[in-house]
Amino acid sequence: MLDFFTIFSKGGLVLWCFQGVRGPAATAPVNALIRSVLLQERGGNNSFTHEALTLKYKLDNQFELVFVVGFQKILTLTYVDKLIDDVHKEFRDKYRNEFQQKGALGLLNGTFDFKDDFMRLLRDAEESSKVRAPTVMKTFEQSLKSQKTVKCMIETRGEKPKEKVKNKKNKGSKKDGTEAVAVPNKASAADKQLSAAGDKEELTKDEILQKNREEFFRRHMKAGEKSRSPKPDAQKEKGKKPRVWDLGNSNAKVLDYSNSATNGSTEACPVEEFDPDMALGDKNREPGRLYDLEYESDDEAEEEKVVQNPSKPSVKKGGLGGMFGMLKGLVGSKSLTRDDMDPVLEKMKDHLIAKNVAAEIAVQLCESVAKKLEGKVMGTFTTVTSTVKQALQEALVQILQPQRRVDVLRDVMDAQRHRRPYVVTFCGVNGVGKSTNLAKISFWLIENGFSVLIAACDTFRAGAVEQLRTHTRRLNALHPPESHGGRTMVQLYEKGYGKDAAGIAMEAISYARNQGFDVVLVDTAGRMQDNAPLMTALAKLIAVNAPDLVLFVGEALVGNEAVDQLVKFNKALADHSMAQTPRLIDGIVLTKFDTIDDKVGAAISMTYITSKPIVFVGTGQTYCDLRSLNAKAVVAALMKA
Ligand code: GDP
């Protein structure tokens, strides 16, 4: 039933392997496990699926061993967990001396004759799963129903079975809370009072019930009215009036620039005053350079202090040291147990959640760290806290390091060599900063000497085209053709509103090809992740135009909502795509990072769940507020107390 069972060292030496009769070779699935789980710190749960196989694994952190079993995922093998535990125990007990005395050399030269032991353990595990007989259904005679007589099920009018009345009371009390508890009591008191009065009593009882109901509703209505804020009468009468802004113009026709037939023309709308210094932000930066997110770590010095001077409890407050101060017990050269780590992990989990990491992910991360450390022998001068913290930090940095690096400048140059424009599509919900960050990216590309065509494919939101036109004008003012050998560095391609976005993107790309633009940045309409028709339209735009890069724009401000958006956008692109291998999101633009202080958890959650790299980080509203992700900066902010 098993496809394979393999035991290998964390260094990569296969010590022993069992190969099932029909099973595929263990190499590919085990490599996938190492790549996607063990190296990516996703070891929270002991299971991993690769194509048709389920892989379960266990780590031995003392001897640095990995035990992996593989079987067909359609099978429910209840004995696998037991088997892996038993094999682990038996193997390490049998070869303990080799591991302890000879170390890595022992592994290289050792012969691990484990087949008979394994077969015995496998047989035992299989037998033990059979011993637990499946639960048998009760016969009718054994059930409670059979004990009910027909008589007790017949209801006579006016005489309610005792139990039923009781149940009804309970139900009422659950639904209506304190109010409802009072009602049946009153009713039962009335029952007693009126028990001897025949037909008249029935009527009175009904009346009482009716009264109670009316009273109940009256009270609830009052409560509802109170909770709503009172509206001033005057406002009610007047109704809502459109606000007229000081600098605005009430004439809608004057404001409508959508009929402009020009592409990228700046004449169509009035040239407003703008301060180039304000738009640029930091004046001291190096033009064209995409700076890393900055960070300052405040707890490194403190941590060193703890490690060097283990016997003295740290008195400094603040930092993770302060937070876990009470847990800084010395373990010395003892191997770490789950009990040692649990209090620290619990604190770390809460800390991560407080920093906006999704609760589920915080749990998985801590679980993964625990699995990685359990049984590991600690150095003499290290504390549980520092060991766990370091492992968690490493895991977090690992998560934020992209598996696939997106190097936009290199890719644009590559496209240039092939005489075609490099196409980037931006997608996301409304208001997350798609247009603003698209403009920042344009600015960065222009500073690197690439010309940009902005395709206005948000043909839905009023003002979207005008917003891009304003950016285009400003960017052109900052980088006029005169300073680029007469070449227009940025232009807008727009067709107004209500048109098919996919078609406009396609026209823009061919326009860019003809005019020799280096990059096309496609702005799309904001849409909610659950809106199926709009997601289908986005999938179509992407399928038809095959952009080089699909960027999801999400704001760090909304925390885990951004994770939900990203997951659903990605899924919707897969579901609504007409292509056999659907085009999914390639990377993330994480915006409004300047607004979240150190609550940077969304970055971790987004990359942990989807493994998508964060390509750009938006850190403000000027053209220079664009950064590349610095995993260490994010982790430092995350670990800050
Ligand atoms: P869109 O609807 O997704 O195109 O969003 P917009 O580009 O219109 O941006 C919505 C608002 O977010 C605007 O007021 C932007 O100035 C603001 N915004 C965009 N990116 C950032 C950022 O990185 N930091 C801050 N603080 N605000 C931003």
Side-chain angles (χ1 to χ4, degrees):
M1 293 280 233
L2 294 184
D3 283 30
F4 61 82
F5 195 117
T6 174
I7 304 170
F8 56 93
S9 73
K10 284 192 187 169
L13 278 177
V14 179
L15 307 182
W16 182 82
C17 187
F18 160 81
Q19 186 70 53
V21 188
R22 289 170 295 113
T27 325
V30 172
N31 280 345
L33 172 80
I34 294 170
R35 246 194 336 265
S36 319
V37 181
L38 301 182
L39 293 179
Q40 287 295 314
E41 306 295 345
R42 286 177 168 78
N45 58 352
N46 278 339
S47 180
F48 168 70
T49 310
H50 176 76
E51 291 168 0
L53 289 182
T54 295
L55 273 70
K56 290 217 165 191
Y57 62 92
K58 183 164 189 189
L59 305 180
D60 182 310
N61 296 310
Q62 188 182 354
F63 297 127
E64 308 266 286
L65 303 175
V66 187
F67 297 75
V68 185
V69 55
F71 54 94
Q72 296 293 318
K73 70 177 172 201
I74 48 163
L75 300 177
T76 323
L77 301 184
T78 49
Y79 59 83
V80 168
D81 288 330
K82 180 180 160 39
L83 175 71
I84 209 162
D85 281 344
D86 292 349
V87 171
H88 170 222
K89 265 191 217 131
E90 186 101 4
F91 192 80
R92 56 178 280 154
D93 288 348
K94 189 166 178 185
Y95 300 107
R96 181 179 289 271
N97 285 345
E98 261 101 329
F99 299 139
Q100 276 173 342
Q101 288 162 11
K102 297 180 196 160
L105 211 63
L107 298 184
L108 260 176
N109 299 332
T111 43
F112 299 96
D113 188 10
F114 194 64
K115 189 171 179 204
D116 294 340
D117 306 88
F118 176 78
M119 293 318 284
R120 174 174 46 79
L121 292 171
L122 179 61
R123 256 193 321 276
D124 289 352
E126 278 174 344
E127 286 304 316
S128 76
S129 76
K130 276 183 210 154
V131 172
R132 255 184 282 139
T135 44
V136 185
M137 263 175 69
K138 278 184 193 167
T139 60
F140 178 70
E141 282 70 29
Q142 287 167 335
S143 73
L144 270 178
K145 227 174 189 178
S146 70
Q147 285 152 30
K148 281 188 183 170
T149 59
V150 175
K151 200 180 160 198
C152 82
M153 284 189 235
I154 297 171
E155 264 183 40
T156 348
R157 208 170 170 263
E159 164 205 322
K160 283 181 183 169
K162 267 188 185 172
E163 225 171 274
K164 232 183 176 176
V165 176
K166 221 178 175 182
N167 281 346
K168 261 202 170 171
K169 275 183 192 173
N170 287 344
K171 257 191 200 169
S173 65
K174 250 188 197 171
K175 260 192 188 169
D176 303 331
T178 49
E179 195 67 47
V181 172
V183 176
N185 283 346
K186 276 185 199 168
S188 62
D191 269 357
K192 275 183 205 162
Q193 233 181 20
L194 304 166
S195 59
D199 267 6
K200 210 179 154 196
E201 297 153 11
E202 269 303 359
L203 201 71
T204 333
K205 199 169 134 192
D206 282 351
E207 274 175 5
I208 291 167
L209 274 174
Q210 185 62 28
K211 254 188 176 176
N212 282 335
R213 261 189 216 131
E214 279 168 11
E215 175 73 4
F216 175 77
F217 281 118
R218 216 176 18 249
R219 278 197 216 168
H220 271 251
M221 293 292 279
K222 265 188 203 161
E225 271 165 25
K226 263 186 214 164
S227 65
R228 265 180 250 139
S229 62
K231 269 192 179 174
D233 282 353
Q235 203 184 329
K236 258 187 220 167
E237 277 165 22
K238 267 198 235 161
K240 207 177 169 191
K241 270 195 168 179
R243 182 182 292 187
V244 180
W245 296 96
D246 286 351
L247 299 172
N249 196 322
S250 54
N251 188 349
K253 271 189 186 168
V254 180
L255 287 172
D256 181 13
Y257 306 118
S258 57
N259 288 331
S260 134
T262 49
N263 275 331
S265 115
T266 51
E267 291 101 59
C269 61
V271 180
E272 89 287 30
E273 288 286 316
F274 101 98
D275 180 355
D277 286 347
M278 279 262 287
L280 271 175
D282 184 6
K283 273 177 261 163
N284 301 325
R285 79 215 153 81
E286 202 181 299
R289 180 166 160 200
L290 188 60
Y291 285 84
D292 269 357
L293 270 178
E294 293 132 27
Y295 76 109
E296 85 271 357
S297 166
D298 64 354
D299 55 356
E300 242 158 47
E302 185 195 348
E303 195 54 44
E304 267 169 31
K305 208 169 153 189
V306 171
V307 173
Q308 282 166 12
N309 193 6
S311 53
K312 276 190 195 167
S314 168
V315 283
K316 194 175 168 190
K317 288 246 162 83
L320 274 176
M323 191 179 77
F324 303 123
M326 60 164 200
L327 301 157
K328 278 177 180 158
L330 257 188
V331 172
S333 32
K334 168 188 171 227
S335 64
L336 268 174
T337 66
R338 199 58 208 234
D339 287 346
D340 293 331
M341 289 186 288
D342 272 349
V344 187
L345 286 170
E346 193 57 32
K347 289 259 173 192
M348 287 207 173
K349 188 193 79 195
D350 294 344
H351 179 76
L352 290 177
I353 293 171
K355 290 286 174 101
N356 250 350
V357 175
E360 213 178 291
I361 293 164
V363 172
Q364 281 178 29
L365 261 168
C366 289
E367 193 56 32
S368 172
V369 167
K371 294 247 164 69
K372 208 172 148 188
L373 291 181
E374 203 172 351
K376 196 177 171 121
V377 179
M378 292 185 15
T380 321
F381 295 108
T382 39
T383 62
V384 182
T385 306
S386 64
T387 310
V388 173
K389 187 188 157 191
Q390 198 186 343
L392 183 67
Q393 257 170 336
E394 278 166 15
L396 291 168
V397 171
Q398 191 63 43
I399 287 164
L400 287 170
Q401 304 282 9
Q403 284 179 42
R404 182 187 151 236
R405 197 161 198 91
V406 178
D407 188 339
V408 176
L409 294 182
R410 184 201 57 199
D411 294 347
V412 172
M413 279 193 265
D414 193 49
Q416 242 181 356
R417 270 194 294 278
H418 291 93
R419 299 186 178 284
R420 64 173 188 88
Y422 181 78
V423 183
V424 186
T425 302
F426 294 77
C427 60
V429 308
N430 259 325
V432 289
K434 286 185 296 302
S435 314
T436 309
N437 286 280
L438 178 147
K440 291 184 209 171
I441 293 168
S442 303
F443 180 72
W444 171 68
L445 287 166
I446 296 167
E447 287 210 322
N448 279 286
F450 299 116
S451 57
V452 176
L453 183 70
I454 300 175
C457 295
D458 180 353
T459 57
F460 189 73
R461 175 170 67 95
V465 177
E466 289 71 40
Q467 189 180 356
L468 290 177
R469 187 176 290 133
T470 304
H471 279 305
T472 310
R473 201 170 48 246
R474 290 181 173 186
L475 291 168
N476 269 320
L478 291 168
H479 282 278
E482 302 87 69
S483 28
H484 290 272
R487 191 171 166 217
T488 305
M489 291 309 278
V490 56
Q491 204 175 320
L492 180 70
Y493 191 94
E494 56 103 349
K495 289 285 171 199
Y497 294 96
K499 314 254 167 53
D500 174 38
I504 298 177
M506 189 178 256
E507 286 174 26
I509 295 167
S510 78
Y511 179 81
R513 186 174 281 119
N514 294 337
Q515 300 294 318
F517 279 93
D518 300 316
V519 184
V520 181
L521 300 181
V522 182
D523 186 30
T524 63
R527 60 203 80 212
M528 287 313 287
Q529 64 270 32
D530 302 309
N531 188 325
L534 292 182
M535 290 313 298
T536 313
L538 180 66
K540 178 186 152 194
L541 186 147
I542 290 172
V544 168
N545 293 294
D548 297 276
L549 189 65
V550 179
L551 290 178
F552 170 82
V553 186
E555 51 181 8
L557 196 59
V558 293
N560 296 316
E561 168 63 16
V563 183
D564 184 56
Q565 288 167 7
L566 170 60
V567 171
K568 289 194 174 147
F569 260 74
N570 209 33
K571 187 170 178 306
L573 287 186
D575 292 349
H576 299 294
S577 169
M578 293 149 284
Q580 230 178 8
T581 43
R583 189 58 206 286
L584 304 177
I585 285 160
D586 300 306
I588 301 164
V589 181
L590 190 59
T591 64
K592 309 192 187 176
F593 209 75
D594 51 312
T595 62
I596 52 163
D597 194 18
D598 57 5
K599 298 221 175 340
V600 297
I604 294 286
S605 303
M606 279 170 132
T607 38
Y608 185 85
I609 289 196
T610 58
S611 302
K612 306 282 178 204
I614 296 176
V615 185
F616 298 105
V617 182
T619 54
Q621 287 163 300
T622 74
Y623 290 133
C624 297
D625 290 325
L626 190 70
R627 299 280 180 275
S628 61
L629 186 93
N630 175 352
K632 284 191 180 152
V634 176
V635 174
L638 201 63
M639 300 305 276
K640 217 168 131 188

mmCIF file with all atom_site columns, all heavy atoms in Angstrom, residues 115-126:
data_model
loop_
_atom_site.group_PDB
_atom_site.id
_atom_site.type_symbol
_atom_site.label_atom_id
_atom_site.label_alt_id
_atom_site.label_comp_id
_atom_site.label_asym_id
_atom_site.label_entity_id
_atom_site.label_seq_id
_atom_site.pdbx_PDB_ins_code
_atom_site.Cartn_x
_atom_site.Cartn_y
_atom_site.Cartn_z
_atom_site.occupancy
_atom_site.B_iso_or_equiv
_atom_site.pdbx_formal_charge
_atom_site.auth_seq_id
_atom_site.auth_comp_id
_atom_site.auth_asym_id
_atom_site.auth_atom_id
_atom_site.pdbx_PDB_model_num
ATOM 1   N N   . LYS A 1 115 ? 15.805 -3.336 6.732  1.00 0.00 ? 115 LYS A N   1
ATOM 2   C CA  . LYS A 1 115 ? 14.640 -3.839 6.007  1.00 0.00 ? 115 LYS A CA  1
ATOM 3   C C   . LYS A 1 115 ? 13.731 -4.696 6.895  1.00 0.00 ? 115 LYS A C   1
ATOM 4   O O   . LYS A 1 115 ? 12.516 -4.498 6.938  1.00 0.00 ? 115 LYS A O   1
ATOM 5   C CB  . LYS A 1 115 ? 15.097 -4.646 4.791  1.00 0.00 ? 115 LYS A CB  1
ATOM 6   C CG  . LYS A 1 115 ? 13.918 -4.995 3.917  1.00 0.00 ? 115 LYS A CG  1
ATOM 7   C CD  . LYS A 1 115 ? 14.316 -5.580 2.620  1.00 0.00 ? 115 LYS A CD  1
ATOM 8   C CE  . LYS A 1 115 ? 13.036 -5.895 1.866  1.00 0.00 ? 115 LYS A CE  1
ATOM 9   N NZ  . LYS A 1 115 ? 13.182 -6.914 0.894  1.00 0.00 ? 115 LYS A NZ  1
ATOM 10  N N   . ASP A 1 116 ? 14.333 -5.651 7.633  1.00 0.00 ? 116 ASP A N   1
ATOM 11  C CA  . ASP A 1 116 ? 13.510 -6.563 8.440  1.00 0.00 ? 116 ASP A CA  1
ATOM 12  C C   . ASP A 1 116 ? 12.761 -5.800 9.524  1.00 0.00 ? 116 ASP A C   1
ATOM 13  O O   . ASP A 1 116 ? 11.583 -6.065 9.777  1.00 0.00 ? 116 ASP A O   1
ATOM 14  C CB  . ASP A 1 116 ? 14.400 -7.648 9.073  1.00 0.00 ? 116 ASP A CB  1
ATOM 15  C CG  . ASP A 1 116 ? 14.973 -8.539 7.980  1.00 0.00 ? 116 ASP A CG  1
ATOM 16  O OD1 . ASP A 1 116 ? 14.390 -8.542 6.875  1.00 0.00 ? 116 ASP A OD1 1
ATOM 17  O OD2 . ASP A 1 116 ? 16.005 -9.197 8.231  1.00 0.00 ? 116 ASP A OD2 1
ATOM 18  N N   . ASP A 1 117 ? 13.469 -4.875 10.168 1.00 0.00 ? 117 ASP A N   1
ATOM 19  C CA  . ASP A 1 117 ? 12.811 -4.084 11.223 1.00 0.00 ? 117 ASP A CA  1
ATOM 20  C C   . ASP A 1 117 ? 11.630 -3.321 10.642 1.00 0.00 ? 117 ASP A C   1
ATOM 21  O O   . ASP A 1 117 ? 10.558 -3.257 11.224 1.00 0.00 ? 117 ASP A O   1
ATOM 22  C CB  . ASP A 1 117 ? 13.796 -3.073 11.828 1.00 0.00 ? 117 ASP A CB  1
ATOM 23  C CG  . ASP A 1 117 ? 15.056 -3.742 12.305 1.00 0.00 ? 117 ASP A CG  1
ATOM 24  O OD1 . ASP A 1 117 ? 15.995 -3.896 11.489 1.00 0.00 ? 117 ASP A OD1 1
ATOM 25  O OD2 . ASP A 1 117 ? 15.084 -4.132 13.469 1.00 0.00 ? 117 ASP A OD2 1
ATOM 26  N N   . PHE A 1 118 ? 11.872 -2.737 9.462  1.00 0.00 ? 118 PHE A N   1
ATOM 27  C CA  . PHE A 1 118 ? 10.820 -1.924 8.853  1.00 0.00 ? 118 PHE A CA  1
ATOM 28  C C   . PHE A 1 118 ? 9.600  -2.786 8.524  1.00 0.00 ? 118 PHE A C   1
ATOM 29  O O   . PHE A 1 118 ? 8.463  -2.410 8.815  1.00 0.00 ? 118 PHE A O   1
ATOM 30  C CB  . PHE A 1 118 ? 11.349 -1.240 7.582  1.00 0.00 ? 118 PHE A CB  1
ATOM 31  C CG  . PHE A 1 118 ? 10.289 -0.465 6.860  1.00 0.00 ? 118 PHE A CG  1
ATOM 32  C CD1 . PHE A 1 118 ? 9.891  0.787  7.319  1.00 0.00 ? 118 PHE A CD1 1
ATOM 33  C CD2 . PHE A 1 118 ? 9.646  -0.994 5.742  1.00 0.00 ? 118 PHE A CD2 1
ATOM 34  C CE1 . PHE A 1 118 ? 8.890  1.495  6.676  1.00 0.00 ? 118 PHE A CE1 1
ATOM 35  C CE2 . PHE A 1 118 ? 8.645  -0.287 5.103  1.00 0.00 ? 118 PHE A CE2 1
ATOM 36  C CZ  . PHE A 1 118 ? 8.270  0.958  5.561  1.00 0.00 ? 118 PHE A CZ  1
ATOM 37  N N   . MET A 1 119 ? 9.853  -3.983 7.929  1.00 0.00 ? 119 MET A N   1
ATOM 38  C CA  . MET A 1 119 ? 8.734  -4.836 7.533  1.00 0.00 ? 119 MET A CA  1
ATOM 39  C C   . MET A 1 119 ? 7.933  -5.249 8.764  1.00 0.00 ? 119 MET A C   1
ATOM 40  O O   . MET A 1 119 ? 6.706  -5.326 8.731  1.00 0.00 ? 119 MET A O   1
ATOM 41  C CB  . MET A 1 119 ? 9.236  -6.072 6.765  1.00 0.00 ? 119 MET A CB  1
ATOM 42  C CG  . MET A 1 119 ? 9.851  -5.765 5.414  1.00 0.00 ? 119 MET A CG  1
ATOM 43  S SD  . MET A 1 119 ? 8.989  -4.550 4.413  1.00 0.00 ? 119 MET A SD  1
ATOM 44  C CE  . MET A 1 119 ? 7.618  -5.487 3.818  1.00 0.00 ? 119 MET A CE  1
ATOM 45  N N   . ARG A 1 120 ? 8.646  -5.520 9.860  1.00 0.00 ? 120 ARG A N   1
ATOM 46  C CA  . ARG A 1 120 ? 7.954  -5.900 11.103 1.00 0.00 ? 120 ARG A CA  1
ATOM 47  C C   . ARG A 1 120 ? 7.097  -4.727 11.604 1.00 0.00 ? 120 ARG A C   1
ATOM 48  O O   . ARG A 1 120 ? 5.928  -4.891 11.936 1.00 0.00 ? 120 ARG A O   1
ATOM 49  C CB  . ARG A 1 120 ? 8.997  -6.286 12.161 1.00 0.00 ? 120 ARG A CB  1
ATOM 50  C CG  . ARG A 1 120 ? 8.425  -6.572 13.535 1.00 0.00 ? 120 ARG A CG  1
ATOM 51  C CD  . ARG A 1 120 ? 9.490  -7.096 14.489 1.00 0.00 ? 120 ARG A CD  1
ATOM 52  N NE  . ARG A 1 120 ? 10.732 -6.331 14.447 1.00 0.00 ? 120 ARG A NE  1
ATOM 53  C CZ  . ARG A 1 120 ? 10.894 -5.148 15.060 1.00 0.00 ? 120 ARG A CZ  1
ATOM 54  N NH1 . ARG A 1 120 ? 9.911  -4.611 15.747 1.00 0.00 ? 120 ARG A NH1 1
ATOM 55  N NH2 . ARG A 1 120 ? 12.055 -4.530 14.987 1.00 0.00 ? 120 ARG A NH2 1
ATOM 56  N N   . LEU A 1 121 ? 7.674  -3.542 11.596 1.00 0.00 ? 121 LEU A N   1
ATOM 57  C CA  . LEU A 1 121 ? 6.932  -2.369 12.076 1.00 0.00 ? 121 LEU A CA  1
ATOM 58  C C   . LEU A 1 121 ? 5.729  -2.073 11.182 1.00 0.00 ? 121 LEU A C   1
ATOM 59  O O   . LEU A 1 121 ? 4.659  -1.702 11.658 1.00 0.00 ? 121 LEU A O   1
ATOM 60  C CB  . LEU A 1 121 ? 7.853  -1.141 12.132 1.00 0.00 ? 121 LEU A CB  1
ATOM 61  C CG  . LEU A 1 121 ? 8.958  -1.205 13.182 1.00 0.00 ? 121 LEU A CG  1
ATOM 62  C CD1 . LEU A 1 121 ? 9.927  -0.048 13.007 1.00 0.00 ? 121 LEU A CD1 1
ATOM 63  C CD2 . LEU A 1 121 ? 8.373  -1.180 14.591 1.00 0.00 ? 121 LEU A CD2 1
ATOM 64  N N   . LEU A 1 122 ? 5.930  -2.270 9.890  1.00 0.00 ? 122 LEU A N   1
ATOM 65  C CA  . LEU A 1 122 ? 4.836  -2.035 8.948  1.00 0.00 ? 122 LEU A CA  1
ATOM 66  C C   . LEU A 1 122 ? 3.688  -3.001 9.218  1.00 0.00 ? 122 LEU A C   1
ATOM 67  O O   . LEU A 1 122 ? 2.519  -2.624 9.276  1.00 0.00 ? 122 LEU A O   1
ATOM 68  C CB  . LEU A 1 122 ? 5.358  -2.183 7.511  1.00 0.00 ? 122 LEU A CB  1
ATOM 69  C CG  . LEU A 1 122 ? 4.342  -1.996 6.394  1.00 0.00 ? 122 LEU A CG  1
ATOM 70  C CD1 . LEU A 1 122 ? 3.747  -0.594 6.428  1.00 0.00 ? 122 LEU A CD1 1
ATOM 71  C CD2 . LEU A 1 122 ? 4.965  -2.224 5.015  1.00 0.00 ? 122 LEU A CD2 1
ATOM 72  N N   . ARG A 1 123 ? 4.071  -4.314 9.420  1.00 0.00 ? 123 ARG A N   1
ATOM 73  C CA  . ARG A 1 123 ? 3.039  -5.327 9.695  1.00 0.00 ? 123 ARG A CA  1
ATOM 74  C C   . ARG A 1 123 ? 2.287  -4.966 10.977 1.00 0.00 ? 123 ARG A C   1
ATOM 75  O O   . ARG A 1 123 ? 1.063  -4.995 11.030 1.00 0.00 ? 123 ARG A O   1
ATOM 76  C CB  . ARG A 1 123 ? 3.701  -6.705 9.856  1.00 0.00 ? 123 ARG A CB  1
ATOM 77  C CG  . ARG A 1 123 ? 3.500  -7.603 8.632  1.00 0.00 ? 123 ARG A CG  1
ATOM 78  C CD  . ARG A 1 123 ? 3.883  -9.037 8.928  1.00 0.00 ? 123 ARG A CD  1
ATOM 79  N NE  . ARG A 1 123 ? 5.049  -9.221 9.754  1.00 0.00 ? 123 ARG A NE  1
ATOM 80  C CZ  . ARG A 1 123 ? 6.317  -9.230 9.308  1.00 0.00 ? 123 ARG A CZ  1
ATOM 81  N NH1 . ARG A 1 123 ? 6.559  -9.034 8.023  1.00 0.00 ? 123 ARG A NH1 1
ATOM 82  N NH2 . ARG A 1 123 ? 7.322  -9.426 10.133 1.00 0.00 ? 123 ARG A NH2 1
ATOM 83  N N   . ASP A 1 124 ? 3.039  -4.588 12.017 1.00 0.00 ? 124 ASP A N   1
ATOM 84  C CA  . ASP A 1 124 ? 2.419  -4.231 13.305 1.00 0.00 ? 124 ASP A CA  1
ATOM 85  C C   . ASP A 1 124 ? 1.448  -3.069 13.149 1.00 0.00 ? 124 ASP A C   1
ATOM 86  O O   . ASP A 1 124 ? 0.337  -3.084 13.679 1.00 0.00 ? 124 ASP A O   1
ATOM 87  C CB  . ASP A 1 124 ? 3.488  -3.819 14.333 1.00 0.00 ? 124 ASP A CB  1
ATOM 88  C CG  . ASP A 1 124 ? 4.307  -5.012 14.779 1.00 0.00 ? 124 ASP A CG  1
ATOM 89  O OD1 . ASP A 1 124 ? 3.930  -6.143 14.398 1.00 0.00 ? 124 ASP A OD1 1
ATOM 90  O OD2 . ASP A 1 124 ? 5.326  -4.816 15.489 1.00 0.00 ? 124 ASP A OD2 1
ATOM 91  N N   . ALA A 1 125 ? 1.916  -2.068 12.411 1.00 0.00 ? 125 ALA A N   1
ATOM 92  C CA  . ALA A 1 125 ? 1.085  -0.863 12.247 1.00 0.00 ? 125 ALA A CA  1
ATOM 93  C C   . ALA A 1 125 ? -0.189 -1.216 11.492 1.00 0.00 ? 125 ALA A C   1
ATOM 94  O O   . ALA A 1 125 ? -1.284 -0.783 11.851 1.00 0.00 ? 125 ALA A O   1
ATOM 95  C CB  . ALA A 1 125 ? 1.869  0.206  11.509 1.00 0.00 ? 125 ALA A CB  1
ATOM 96  N N   . GLU A 1 126 ? -0.041 -2.055 10.452 1.00 0.00 ? 126 GLU A N   1
ATOM 97  C CA  . GLU A 1 126 ? -1.222 -2.448 9.670  1.00 0.00 ? 126 GLU A CA  1
ATOM 98  C C   . GLU A 1 126 ? -2.195 -3.233 10.536 1.00 0.00 ? 126 GLU A C   1
ATOM 99  O O   . GLU A 1 126 ? -3.398 -3.022 10.501 1.00 0.00 ? 126 GLU A O   1
ATOM 100 C CB  . GLU A 1 126 ? -0.789 -3.277 8.455  1.00 0.00 ? 126 GLU A CB  1
ATOM 101 C CG  . GLU A 1 126 ? -0.331 -2.424 7.299  1.00 0.00 ? 126 GLU A CG  1
ATOM 102 C CD  . GLU A 1 126 ? 0.227  -3.222 6.132  1.00 0.00 ? 126 GLU A CD  1
ATOM 103 O OE1 . GLU A 1 126 ? 0.552  -4.434 6.320  1.00 0.00 ? 126 GLU A OE1 1
ATOM 104 O OE2 . GLU A 1 126 ? 0.349  -2.647 5.056  1.00 0.00 ? 126 GLU A OE2 1
#
